Amino acid sequence: IRQAVLRYGIQHPVVNDGAMTMWRELGVSSWPTLAVISPEGRLLTLIPGEGNRQDLDDIIAAALEYYGERGLLRGNPLPIALEADKPGQVLDSPFKYPGKIAVDAVGQRLFISDSSN
């Protein structure tokens, strides 16, 4: 997972839920699913699938107004540590997503497919 986060330059929090604990607890039924959580830690909504930017923007705007009026929001940003900022975590390879290797023993050549280049 860390290598995929680095490879694709992901800069948002990523949950590794290998045991599907959060998946079951939140009632997630498809991937991807965005979960909007209140400042008190309650699930406000789940947004399954892709292409739901406007829905997400509307829900977040309403939540910011609602919780802001009640003084439940803090103005300081959450501390987020990106994997790319951690020492020794940046991939040092010309390959983004190497998939297959073919060997030409006679010509002493190696062929590597890279589906992201």
Side-chain angles (χ1 to χ4, degrees):
I1 291 173
R2 175 176 285 121
Q3 295 303 319
V5 165
L6 292 169
R7 179 174 36 252
Y8 296 112
I10 294 171
Q11 296 189 4
H12 58 74
V14 175
V15 175
N16 180 0
D17 188 24
M20 298 181 69
T21 304
M22 288 181 66
W23 180 284
R24 282 191 293 277
E25 290 292 323
L26 294 175
V28 173
S29 61
S30 64
W31 184 90
T33 295
L34 299 173
V36 180
I37 311 293
S38 78
E40 295 123 338
R42 289 192 310 256
L43 178 66
L44 297 178
T45 190
L46 292 175
I47 304 173
E50 297 178 1
N52 298 305
R53 174 69 184 262
Q54 190 60 54
D55 292 339
L56 182 61
D57 286 349
D58 293 345
I59 291 164
I60 289 175
L64 287 171
E65 181 178 342
Y66 178 85
Y67 292 107
E69 289 172 354
R70 285 153 182 79
L72 296 172
L73 299 178
R74 288 182 271 182
N76 53 325
L78 293 173
I80 296 177
L82 298 176
E83 287 300 313
D85 293 340
K86 294 179 181 176
Q89 295 298 322
V90 178
L91 295 174
D92 187 20
S93 171
F95 303 109
K96 297 277 188 190
Y97 198 69
K100 299 198 183 229
I101 296 176
V103 177
D104 173 13
V106 175
Q108 296 185 339
R109 297 182 295 175
L110 185 64
F111 299 91
I112 304 172
S113 70
D114 187 7
S115 60
S116 191
N117 274 326

